[in-house]
Amino acid sequence: MELQIDAGLKAYIDPLTADEHESLERSILAEGCRDALVVWGELLIDGHNRYGICQKHGLPFNTIQATQFKTMDDVHLWMIDQHLGRRSVSDFQRGVLALRKREIIASRRAAAAAAVNAAKAEAGEQSAEAPWEGDTDPVVAQALASVAKVPDEALDTREALARAARLSAGQVKMIETIQEKAAPEVVAAVKAGELSLNAAAVVATLPEEEQQAVAAEGADALKQAAKRVRDARKKPKAAKPEADESAEAAPAASPEELQARVSELQAENERLRQQVKALQDLLAEQA
């Protein structure tokens, strides 16, 4: 059976390492392909590695149809939820998947709000010619139904993202910084397990050219660069009155950290405004 392969869908989740792929191949050769591949029509959704191994060795496999999908976004959300629940997925990968889920949900909510607004405008134009029974115009009702299809979990806050990814809010913040600012070489080091989230987030505050130059020297050089940045941020203790000599000076945030926090708050504020507007429109129609 020949299945359709979508390159973007295959690459949506980070591939297995060479060792992981070799282990899976040994297992399938010894025991066969025990888990069914998930397909949508003839498009392969889940099981790309198993499918490739079976094709390579001429081994049989089973498939199961996923009939719940309507759009590719549905497929992506399903894939994300599947991998968020797997223990083999790294902290960084789970954070990235949760951020992707937030983007999809935010896009759907914005589209649903736009649909409701457009339907309300159309209903206003047609109300004189096509009266209806009840409190809601059929066009508006159809648009409101689309709102119900949007996932309830908006993931608007860092805390919500942390719960979805089974991480701390601090780890999510580091992953956001890495996603937004880290050079590809730094991201690769994190994915390979050569660099911690903390060190990578610190290195990501450096200019991209400097990140690339340090990464070219290896993981140890990246760790040393992170240490240099941390040391440079430490503020010397200022002289204090005798009564306060035992108190430690609070470390000052760097301009980069302050700007990053401002950008994060602005983005969260915009997502919340979109969500509130959609809910207000919904409540206005149901009132």
Side-chain angles (χ1 to χ4, degrees), residues 186-187 189-201 203 219 222-223 226:
V186 176
V187 175
V190 177
K191 289 182 177 180
E194 298 173 349
L195 196 63
S196 69
L197 292 178
N198 190 304
V203 173
L222 285 169
K223 294 173 185 176

Side-chain angles (χ1 to χ4, degrees), residues 13-276:
I13 304 296
D14 286 341
L16 298 178
T17 64
D19 289 342
E20 290 171 338
H21 191 277
E22 183 180 348
S23 176
L24 176 62
E25 186 170 17
R26 286 198 304 268
S27 174
I28 290 177
L29 287 174
E31 304 174 11
C33 187
R34 295 179 299 176
D35 297 326
L37 311 183
V38 179
V39 296
W40 182 27
E42 295 182 352
L43 179 64
L44 179 60
I45 302 301
D46 184 61
H48 289 86
N49 293 296
R50 285 171 281 146
Y51 178 65
I53 293 170
C54 288
Q55 290 291 90
K56 175 182 176 181
H57 297 283
L59 299 174
F61 56 87
N62 296 317
T63 62
I64 183 171
Q65 280 288 341
T67 59
Q68 72 269 35
F69 302 141
K70 302 299 180 184
T71 68
M72 192 57 74
D73 273 352
D74 293 335
V75 174
H76 289 158
L77 287 172
W78 182 86
M79 292 176 68
I80 289 170
D81 287 339
Q82 290 295 307
H83 283 76
L84 283 176
R86 293 178 179 173
R87 290 178 294 179
S88 59
V89 178
S90 69
D91 289 345
F92 179 72
Q93 289 174 319
R94 287 204 304 275
V96 170
L97 291 173
L99 290 171
R100 288 179 181 174
K101 184 174 182 177
R102 180 178 69 181
E103 292 175 2
I104 294 173
I105 294 175
S107 177
R108 283 194 168 187
R109 286 181 177 274
V116 170
N117 290 335
K120 287 170 62 179
E122 181 180 350
E125 294 174 359
Q126 297 178 354
S127 60
E129 301 177 3
W132 61 88
E133 295 181 2
D135 297 329
T136 305
D137 180 274
V139 178
V140 177
Q142 183 177 2
L144 290 173
S146 70
V147 176
K149 299 177 183 178
V150 179
D152 293 332
E153 191 177 16
L155 302 183
D156 286 328
T157 66
R158 188 174 290 127
E159 288 72 20
L161 281 170
R163 287 193 297 270
R166 303 200 314 274
L167 301 171
S168 68
Q171 287 175 308
V172 171
K173 180 181 179 180
M174 294 175 196
I175 293 170
E176 287 178 315
T177 299
I178 296 167
Q179 283 283 91
E180 294 170 3
K181 299 181 178 181
E185 294 83 354
V186 176
V187 175
V190 177
K191 289 182 177 180
E194 298 173 349
L195 196 63
S196 69
L197 292 178
N198 190 304
V202 173
V203 173
T205 62
L206 297 171
E208 184 170 356
E209 296 78 7
E210 187 174 350
Q211 294 182 48
Q212 293 171 333
V214 175
E217 300 177 18
D220 287 339
L222 285 169
K223 294 173 185 176
Q224 288 300 316
K227 184 177 184 304
R228 287 195 300 272
V229 173
R230 292 192 191 100
D231 291 343
R233 289 178 181 174
K234 291 180 180 178
K235 183 178 179 181
K237 293 182 180 180
K240 295 184 178 181
E242 289 185 9
D244 196 39
E245 285 181 354
S246 62
E248 294 183 359
S254 68
E256 293 83 3
E257 289 176 321
L258 291 174
Q259 183 59 48
R261 183 55 179 159
V262 169
S263 299
E264 291 168 0
L265 290 173
Q266 289 174 338
E268 289 183 7
N269 194 31
E270 179 58 27
R271 287 192 295 270
L272 289 172
R273 279 202 298 267
Q274 292 179 1
Q275 182 179 0
V276 169

